[in-house]
């Protein structure tokens, strides 16, 4: 923990209001023109100044992949680590200095394939980091192999006859890993993405956001079947706490339970039926959130779950505080349980 | 206290014989409390003022079948009125709690040595489990030794029979009976063990009484039954005055890290994943929370080092500990620490390899992995501890160098040091040399990769420092600015700079000590946990007038700057290693010396006599 610089630090909110441009680094952004990552970067840079956290207290950590170049473009502290390991580095950063706000930027390959194990454990431990998983369902940086979220049968350079691996559902994985905050948003919907980012930033504990992202070069239209302008209102439903699941261009459709399966009903928007499924992001159990994560038509976006519990660093520091009740005595520690004296 | 029915009439005191040193080994089933018995004997021996060294030998399986050779646990101690450097080559006395223990250990005992065996355990079933076709106590196969059969089980039961214990509970006290016998044989005081029993079984007064009775009964029995004819006294050793404790290498390493944290004012982070034989370091440090130590049991080896790199980036004194297979998994991340030039200590408690190898056995076969085993030109300083107690000093030094030079540092110990123990002069906490994070350059002069001309270290600007925001990563860095660069000229410069920085560390290496003359026929060059065996062998050879000297390396990368000159002073250089020859490759490559190797890969350290024999052969044959 770095205490040397305390006096130099600006308290949240006490300095001049920062702007989005203050969060832009001097490095040229090197994603392919039209890549979904640009929109996400811009959304993040817009949200940052609204959080009231001085930029020296913000750290972006990433692994390897197109999305993992992200930290270089943020004028904060940043760490571009190795493939799949961003969450391990972020865990160390946050536990070392809980004053910092730590963000992790990862992709479907980085976060769910090579780094899948770390995702499970960071979420179950409730490491207080905000994970942005850019899901473009392809390996971009290595030029177009299928990823763990590629749809079954997808033809890529490494699967000329179609993939034979069933894809993972990132939201379901996060929920199964006991994540407290789980959300999904689309790269093109900047305003909504901004809202979700803000909520994630304010959530105490692990926050996991799957961002449906387009890779113009290797998987263009990755999410068009559900997220393109012309279909999204009918193919996606925004879940909101305490609200029924209503969607459609004219808000004329809803989701209700039929046994253990979702069922879409159409109705007069002026008089929605009373038996529509209501969302509850605070439900103590993840059952409803998991149900929503599994819906294919419509696909849910928004905040699936927002439940707080003690974070890893709180619990770690709590034990240390408790242990410190017995004043540390290095000499006593060095002596151990038993000593003897050899006389001169 | 020991007024039991088994107590024979006290006979006249047996004569006492002065000896210089002794080696004894306790062996039995994992459940027989062998390690506990050994550590109690060690404490009593330390209190008696002898110098000593110990080594436990655990079975590989946690609960190997009872009574089988695979399940035998051993504990060896050498103690002396002189300096003790190793736990001893061959035991003078073996205490075998069952036939399997005798089978696994009997052949190690010196010819003419003593075998104390628990006769009650030599049942047909146990003999069969141990793989004996005939009872060795009857068939004359042990004629090379003096066999002393003791009805340990029956006598122990008798000693505690008035306490109302179950037969199983009574029998469990038999290791204290055996300990009592050994205390009489070597004239050790009983008090320390009595006190320990009182503390251990505080909540169960009946066990306090039972174990104390068993201990005293064994002591009285050894004397009265005239088992041995005489007993032995080992005088106090001339030891540097001061306060001592017994310490294992793993304990010492853990304390070294805590001490380094205290001396630097940097809070300690220890990221680790359970692995034999390194886990005890994690256990020790997990108990040090009152010092602010943050231990993190990660989901795997990679997360253990990743979290440590993150903690280092954020300003902590970060250490990750493991054994060879774990280092293999951490390798890519070590490269990241090299590239980002962050302080980090990687502790490798080496074990038998390759692959899973022999987890509970010692070896020195990860030196080349430590020095060279990464992708790219990826220099990492490497240190190695020489004795269990030295693990403290080297852990401390590894931390100091990591911070001073802003680099990952690899510290090698091994299973032999980690589990072995020796008396350790407890350092004065107030006198530990202070070190710390260098002051940060003013913002106007700061760039992430500006370098201190003395050390070539870059600044350690940690998150939270206003104005010092920067991005690090595994991609090649532009010199000075630290931004990403694919420029060939710059890469060439950076690769050389990283190497030069590690080479500069040589300025921190103290002058090499030579055991013996600085010129002569044979120089032994050792490193790591073989220090004791090599030193004892060389001392013996020198007593016999052999023109032999030795150096023991604690710095393996960079090597001590004066080593090249020293090597030139000898006709032959002999490099004893517990591997196929790794240091020898480094020495040959760097100094072009025609060194010879002496290699053992049997999962145990050198015996002193083995090294003596190797040197004798070299001197006689003149072969090189
Ligand atoms: S390859 Fe795809 S994901 Fe990567 S930068 Fe280009 S468009 Fe974006």
């Amino acid at each position: 923990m770095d205490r040397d610089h305390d006096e130099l630090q600006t308290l949240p909110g006490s300095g001049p209001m920062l702007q989005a441009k203050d969060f832009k680094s001097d490095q040229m952004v090197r994603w392919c023109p039209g890549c979904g990552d640009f929109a996400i970067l811009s959304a993040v840079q817009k949200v940052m100044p609204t959080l009231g956290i001085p930029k020296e207290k913000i750290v972006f950590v990433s692994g390897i992949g197109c999305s993992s170049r992200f930290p270089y473009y943020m004028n904060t502290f940043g760490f571009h680590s190795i493939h799949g390991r961003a969450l391990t580095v972020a865990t160390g950063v946050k536990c070392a200095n809980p004053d910092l706000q730590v963000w992790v930027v990862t992709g479907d390959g980085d976060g769910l394939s090579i780094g899948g194990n770390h995702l499970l454990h960071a979420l179950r431990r409730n490491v207080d980091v905000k994970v942005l998983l850019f899901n473009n369902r392809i390996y971009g940086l290595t030029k177009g192999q299928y990823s763990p979220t590629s749809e079954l049968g997808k033809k890529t350079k490494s699967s000329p006859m179609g993939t034979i691996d069933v894809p993972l559902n990132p939201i379901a994985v996060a929920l199964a890993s006991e994540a407290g905050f789980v959300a999904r948003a689309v790269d093109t919907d900047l305003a909504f993405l901004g809202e979700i980012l803000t909520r994630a930033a304010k959530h105490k504990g692990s926050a996991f956001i799957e961002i449906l992202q387009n890779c113009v070069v290797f998987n263009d239209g990755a999410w068009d079947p559900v997220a393109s302008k012309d279909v999204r209102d009918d193919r996606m439903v925004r879940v909101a706490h305490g609200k029924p699941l209503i969607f459609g261009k004219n808000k004329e459709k809803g989701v209700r339970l039929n046994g253990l399966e979702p069922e879409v009903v159409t109705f007069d928007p002026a008089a929605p039926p009373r038996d529509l499924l209501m969302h509850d992001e605070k439900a103590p159990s993840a059952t409803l959130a998991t149900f929503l994560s599994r819906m294919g038509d419509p696909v849910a976006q928004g905040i699936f779950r927002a439940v707080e519990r003690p974070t890893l660093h709180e619990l770690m520091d709590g034990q240390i505080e408790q242990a410190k009740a017995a004043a540390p005595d290095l000499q006593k520690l060095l002596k151990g349980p038993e000593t003897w004296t050899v006389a001169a | 206290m020991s007024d039991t029915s088994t107590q024979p009439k006290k006979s006249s005191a047996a004569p006492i014989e002065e000896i210089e040193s002794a080696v004894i080994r306790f062996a039995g089933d994992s459940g027989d409390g062998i390690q506990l018995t050994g550590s109690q004997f060690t404490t009593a021996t330390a209190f008696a003022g002898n110098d000593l060294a110990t080594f436990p030998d655990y079975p590989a399986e946690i609960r190997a079948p009872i009574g089988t050779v695979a399940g035998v646990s051993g504990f060896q101690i050498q103690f002396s009125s002189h300096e003790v450097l190793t736990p001893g080559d061959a035991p003078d006395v073996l205490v075998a709690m069952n036939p399997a223990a005798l089978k696994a250990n009997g052949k190690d005992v010196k010819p003419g040595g003593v075998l104390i065996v628990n006769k009650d355990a030599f049942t047909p079933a146990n003999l069969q489990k141990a793989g004996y076709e005939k009872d060795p106590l009857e068939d004359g196969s042990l004629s090379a030794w003096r066999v002393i059969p003791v009805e340990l089980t029956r006598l122990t039961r008798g000693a505690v029979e008035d306490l109302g214990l179950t037969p199983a509970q009574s029998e469990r006290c038999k290791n204290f009976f055996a300990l009592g016998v050994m205390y009489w044989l070597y004239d050790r005081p009983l008090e320390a063990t009595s006190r320990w029993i009182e503390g251990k079984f505080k909540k169960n007064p009946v066990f306090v009484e039972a174990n104390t009775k068993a201990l005293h009964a064994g002591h009285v029995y050894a004397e009265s039954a005239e088992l041995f004819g005489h007993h032995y006294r080992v005088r106090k050793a001339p030891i540097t005055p001061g306060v001592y404790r017994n310490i294992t290498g793993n304990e010492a390493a853990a304390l070294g890290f805590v001490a380094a944290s205290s001396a630097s004012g940097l809070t300690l982070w220890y990221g680790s994943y359970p692995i034999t034989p390194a886990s005890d370091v994690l256990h020790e440090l997990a108990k040090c929370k009152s010092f602010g130590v943050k231990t993190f049991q990660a989901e795997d080896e990679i997360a253990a080092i990743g979290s440590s790199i993150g903690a280092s980036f954020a300003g902590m004194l970060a250490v990750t500990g493991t054994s060879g297979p774990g280092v293999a998994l951490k390798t890519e991340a070590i490269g990241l620490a090299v590239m980002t030039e962050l302080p980090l200590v990687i502790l490798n408690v080496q074990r038998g390899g390759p692959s899973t190898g022999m987890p509970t056995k010692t070896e020195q076969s990860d030196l080349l992995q430590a020095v060279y085993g990464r992708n790219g030109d990826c220099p990492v300083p490497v240190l190695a501890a020489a004795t269990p107690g030295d693990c403290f000093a080297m852990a401390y030094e590894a931390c100091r160098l990591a911070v001073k030079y802003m680099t990952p540092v690899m510290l090698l110990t091994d299973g032999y040091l980690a589990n072995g123990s020796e008396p350790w002069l407890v350092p004065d906490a107030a006198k530990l040399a202070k070190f710390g994070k260098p002051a940060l350059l003013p913002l106007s002069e700061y760039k992430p990769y500006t370098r201190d001309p003395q050390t070539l270290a870059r600044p350690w600007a940690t998150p939270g420092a206003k104005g010092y925001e920067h991005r690090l990563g595994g991609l090649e860095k532009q010199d000075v600015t630290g931004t990403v660069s694919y420029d060939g000229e710059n890469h060439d410069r950076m690769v050389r700079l990283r190497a030069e920085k590690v080479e500069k560390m040589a300025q921190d290496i103290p002058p090499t000590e030579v055991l013996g003359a600085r010129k002569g026929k044979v120089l032994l060059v050792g490193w790591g946990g073989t220090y004791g065996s090599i030193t004892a062998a060389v001392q013996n050879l020198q007593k016999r007038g052999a023109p032999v000297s030795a150096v023991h390396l604690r710095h393996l990368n960079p090597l001590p700057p004066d080593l090249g000159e020293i090597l030139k002073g000898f006709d032959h250089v002999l490099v004893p290693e517990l591997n196929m020859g790794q240091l020898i490759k480094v020495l040959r490559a760097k100094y072009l010396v025609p060194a010879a190797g002496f290699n053992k890969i049997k999962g145990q350290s050198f015996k002193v006599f083995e090294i003596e024999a190797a040197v004798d052969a070299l001197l006689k044959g003149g072969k090189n």
Side-chain angles (χ1 to χ4, degrees):
Chain A
M1 260 170 298
D2 187 2
R3 299 281 174 227
D4 310 5
H5 307 291
D6 269 358
E7 60 278 18
L8 298 172
Q9 287 167 0
T10 320
L11 291 171
S14 70
M17 185 67 179
L18 295 167
Q19 315 277 316
K21 66 173 170 43
D22 295 317
F23 286 89
K24 292 187 177 145
S25 79
D26 57 357
Q27 297 293 298
M28 202 174 80
V29 183
R30 289 170 191 270
W31 288 308
C32 309
C35 175
D37 293 0
F38 285 98
I40 306 171
L41 177 63
S42 153
V44 170
Q45 285 169 339
K46 273 204 191 89
V47 165
M48 285 292 128
T50 69
L51 301 176
I53 301 171
K55 60 191 167 101
E56 68 273 14
K57 289 198 173 186
I58 297 172
V59 184
F60 276 82
V61 183
S62 65
I64 296 292
C66 291
S67 59
S68 288
R69 295 299 176 89
F70 202 95
Y72 290 122
Y73 309 136
M74 295 294 298
N75 189 16
T76 61
F77 280 90
F79 205 109
H80 177 215
S81 76
I82 45 178
H83 202 16
R85 317 305 173 197
L87 272 160
T88 72
V89 173
T91 299
V93 171
K94 183 67 193 186
C95 290
N97 185 354
D99 275 358
L100 304 172
Q101 190 181 57
V102 182
W103 295 76
V104 165
V105 180
T106 183
D108 39 317
D110 190 61
L112 289 169
S113 194
I114 188 165
N117 190 32
H118 308 307
L119 182 66
L120 306 187
H121 293 280
L123 295 178
R124 80 173 167 89
R125 291 187 183 114
N126 205 22
V127 183
D128 191 4
V129 298
K130 318 302 161 198
V131 184
L132 310 181
L133 186 136
F134 295 15
N135 184 5
N136 58 16
R137 317 188 85 177
I138 199 81
Y139 281 84
L141 194 66
T142 50
K143 302 193 169 64
Q145 301 80 9
Y146 62 94
S147 89
T149 56
S150 293
E151 51 282 30
L152 187 63
K154 186 180 186 69
K155 289 188 174 150
T156 70
K157 278 186 195 155
S158 55
S159 57
M161 296 173 70
T163 66
I164 52 177
D165 303 355
V166 168
L168 279 175
N169 174 334
I171 299 288
V173 170
L175 289 166
S177 310
E178 312 296 342
F181 184 98
V182 180
R184 180 186 279 145
V186 182
D187 57 359
T188 48
D189 192 345
L190 277 186
F192 188 61
L193 177 57
E195 277 172 45
I196 302 280
L197 290 171
T198 306
R199 281 286 308 277
K202 297 197 165 145
H203 176 83
K204 187 192 83 172
S206 292
F208 176 85
I209 308 175
E210 180 196 5
I211 304 172
L212 309 187
Q213 177 240 327
N214 193 33
C215 168
V216 282
V217 176
F218 296 108
N219 196 19
D220 196 20
W223 297 101
D224 280 359
V226 296
S228 71
K229 259 207 179 80
D230 44 329
V231 302
R232 67 187 180 199
D233 292 337
D234 291 317
R235 290 298 319 279
M236 295 191 86
V237 56
R238 276 191 195 181
V239 299
H241 182 60
K243 300 264 167 58
L245 268 65
I246 293 178
F247 65 109
K249 277 201 184 61
N250 305 308
K251 306 268 175 255
E252 78 286 13
K253 290 190 234 181
V255 179
R256 73 175 177 205
L257 265 183
N258 180 3
L260 289 174
E261 295 296 329
E263 180 180 66
V264 174
V265 284
T266 309
F267 46 80
D268 172 4
R274 285 166 175 271
D275 61 349
L276 292 181
L277 193 57
M278 298 285 282
H279 184 42
D280 178 6
E281 65 183 31
K282 307 266 179 246
S285 113
T287 309
L288 175 62
T290 304
F291 176 86
L292 297 175
S293 77
R294 291 286 176 185
M295 284 197 319
D297 195 9
V299 169
Q301 62 171 325
I303 297 167
F304 290 72
R305 188 162 199 241
V307 176
E308 291 190 349
R309 61 187 160 95
T311 65
L312 177 66
H313 72 263
E314 284 174 349
L315 296 168
M316 194 181 266
D317 288 349
Q319 287 193 340
I320 287 171
E321 279 319 305
Q322 202 185 328
K324 278 186 173 165
D329 180 343
L330 182 60
Q331 193 63 60
K332 200 170 147 203
L333 180 75
L334 296 179
K335 281 186 172 170
E338 198 150 35
T339 58
W340 67 94
T341 302
V342 174
Chain B
M1 199 178 269
S2 44
D3 53 338
T4 70
S5 54
T6 52
Q7 188 188 337
K9 285 269 166 300
K10 215 171 163 105
S11 58
S12 61
I16 213 156
E17 184 189 334
E18 292 256 348
I19 53 172
E20 276 188 11
S21 63
V23 178
I24 66 172
R25 188 186 293 177
F26 296 94
D29 247 329
S30 314
D32 283 337
I34 294 300
Q35 300 306 323
L36 187 151
T37 309
S39 71
Q40 284 305 309
F41 193 92
T42 304
T43 308
T45 298
F47 275 81
N50 301 136
D51 197 7
L52 65 91
T54 75
F55 189 69
D57 189 14
Y58 304 106
E61 285 78 22
I62 304 297
R63 291 272 181 271
I66 292 176
T68 62
V69 172
V72 172
S73 168
F75 186 98
Q76 183 163 315
I77 174 171
Q78 172 162 225
F79 51 102
S80 172
S81 56
H82 300 299
E83 186 186 18
V84 172
L85 291 156
T86 74
D89 285 2
D92 300 298
V93 177
L94 169 71
V95 180
M97 303 298 269
N98 64 8
L102 179 65
K103 177 113 188 179
N105 295 279
K107 59 187 181 313
D108 296 342
V109 178
K110 272 181 202 157
V114 175
L115 308 175
I116 300 174
V117 295
N118 176 15
K119 191 166 186 295
D120 294 332
F122 281 65
T123 61
N126 281 350
L127 287 167
Q128 201 206 341
K129 273 192 248 173
Y132 278 119
E133 277 168 17
K134 287 191 210 141
D135 186 345
L137 302 182
E138 318 257 294
D139 68 1
S141 61
L142 303 175
S143 57
W145 300 281
R146 234 184 104 204
V147 182
I148 300 185
V150 178
E151 292 167 293
L152 215 49
T153 313
R154 191 186 65 82
L155 290 168
T156 306
R157 277 194 197 156
V160 302
E161 71 185 347
D162 53 343
L163 297 176
L165 300 179
T166 65
Q169 286 171 331
S170 308
E171 204 184 313
R172 222 168 286 145
C173 303
K174 70 178 185 299
N175 58 330
F176 283 101
F177 191 98
L179 197 55
V181 171
M182 294 304 283
Y183 282 177
W184 180 82
L185 185 60
Y186 286 103
D187 196 32
R188 316 271 89 171
L190 275 61
E191 290 71 27
T193 296
S194 300
R195 263 204 313 277
W196 182 87
I197 292 172
E198 274 164 35
K200 175 81 185 173
F201 300 104
K202 231 181 338 216
K203 291 192 186 118
N204 267 313
V206 64
F207 291 150
V208 173
E209 204 179 336
N211 286 310
T212 311
K213 276 193 165 183
L215 178 72
H216 284 260
H219 196 257
V220 170
Y221 173 80
E223 177 166 21
S224 331
E226 292 178 15
L227 291 178
F228 303 101
H230 52 248
H231 54 158
Y232 303 103
R233 176 170 296 152
V234 177
R235 282 191 181 276
K236 284 186 183 184
I239 299 173
T240 311
V243 175
Y244 282 80
R245 65 170 286 186
N246 200 52
I247 201 160
T248 66
N250 274 345
E251 286 169 341
L255 292 186
F257 295 135
V258 178
S261 160
S262 163
S264 63
L266 297 164
T267 311
L268 183 65
W269 174 271
Y270 189 75
S272 192
Y273 184 75
I275 185 167
T276 303
S279 302
D280 279 341
V281 180
L282 174 61
H283 306 161
E284 287 302 315
L285 289 171
K287 292 188 281 193
C288 293
K289 291 191 169 60
S290 67
F291 295 85
V293 176
K294 294 185 179 182
T295 53
F296 178 61
Q297 183 180 318
E299 60 271 26
D300 60 26
E301 295 283 356
I302 298 170
I305 188 170
S307 65
S308 303
I309 290 172
S312 170
F313 177 58
M316 289 182 85
L317 179 64
V319 180
T320 182
T322 185
S323 186
V327 173
L329 285 163
K330 292 179 197 295
T331 298
E332 185 191 12
I334 297 172
L336 177 66
V338 167
M339 201 64 152
T340 52
E341 303 193 35
L342 285 167
L344 172 70
V345 174
I346 305 119
L347 168 68
N348 177 356
V349 186
Q350 299 165 96
R351 65 190 216 187
S355 187
T356 311
M358 300 207 288
T360 59
K361 303 292 175 195
T362 200
E363 210 161 277
Q364 299 183 300
S365 46
D366 298 343
L367 178 63
L368 295 180
Q369 179 195 44
V371 178
Y372 301 117
R374 285 164 294 282
N375 63 306
D377 284 308
C378 192
V380 170
V382 179
L383 309 181
T387 70
D390 191 42
C391 292
F392 175 87
M394 295 318 279
Y396 186 93
E397 183 67 356
C399 293
R400 188 185 73 83
L401 292 172
V403 170
K404 181 170 175 184
Y405 289 87
M406 290 291 286
T407 176
V409 172
M410 181 94 68
L411 171 59
L412 299 176
T413 69
D414 60 46
Y416 173 79
L417 295 179
N419 293 320
S421 77
E422 65 177 353
W424 182 58
L425 181 59
V426 178
D428 185 342
K431 289 191 184 143
L432 292 167
K434 299 265 182 254
F435 67 95
K437 193 172 144 182
L440 206 47
L441 289 171
L443 204 45
S444 56
E445 292 164 37
Y446 170 81
K447 288 273 184 287
Y449 278 71
T450 45
R451 291 178 191 278
D452 178 315
Q454 279 297 306
T455 59
L456 297 185
R458 68 171 197 89
W460 193 7
T462 52
K466 190 176 168 64
Y468 290 85
E469 296 85 4
H470 63 279
R471 275 67 58 192
L472 294 180
L475 290 172
E476 182 58 286
K477 301 278 164 290
Q478 178 69 45
D479 192 11
V480 183
T481 65
T483 55
V484 175
S485 166
Y486 299 126
D487 175 59
E489 292 295 324
N490 176 74
H491 178 54
D492 185 283
R493 187 158 61 247
M494 291 301 279
V495 168
R496 290 173 198 280
L497 268 171
R498 286 188 287 265
E500 196 187 331
K501 180 169 87 164
V502 171
E503 285 303 320
K504 280 221 178 251
M505 206 180 265
Q507 69 199 4
D508 278 58
I509 303 177
T512 303
E513 285 176 29
V514 180
L515 174 64
R518 292 184 84 90
K519 289 206 182 315
K521 265 221 147 96
V522 179
L523 178 73
L524 276 76
V525 184
W527 68 279
T530 52
Y531 169 80
S533 326
I534 296 174
T535 306
V538 169
Q539 284 175 349
N540 291 346
L541 287 157
Q542 287 172 346
K543 267 184 229 154
R544 291 198 261 122
V548 177
S549 299
V551 298
H552 203 79
L553 301 178
R554 288 179 168 81
H555 294 84
L556 282 315
N557 191 37
L559 289 161
D562 56 358
L563 183 60
E565 267 317 296
I566 296 171
L567 294 176
K568 283 186 198 155
F570 294 85
D571 301 344
H572 303 282
V573 173
L574 183 66
V575 186
E577 291 183 87
L578 303 175
N579 58 40
M580 284 274 285
Q582 301 200 359
L583 175 64
I584 195 172
K585 289 194 177 70
V586 177
L587 294 179
R588 282 174 177 167
K590 171 135 187 164
Y591 302 107
L592 304 176
V593 282
F598 177 56
N599 305 92
K600 177 176 174 182
I601 320 139
K602 296 185 177 175
Q604 25 167 260
S605 194
F606 289 113
K607 307 281 187 213
V608 175
F609 79 85
E610 292 169 341
I611 295 174
E612 287 181 57
V615 175
D616 280 335
L618 187 63
L619 285 170
K620 269 195 207 109
K623 80 174 165 79
N624 195 344

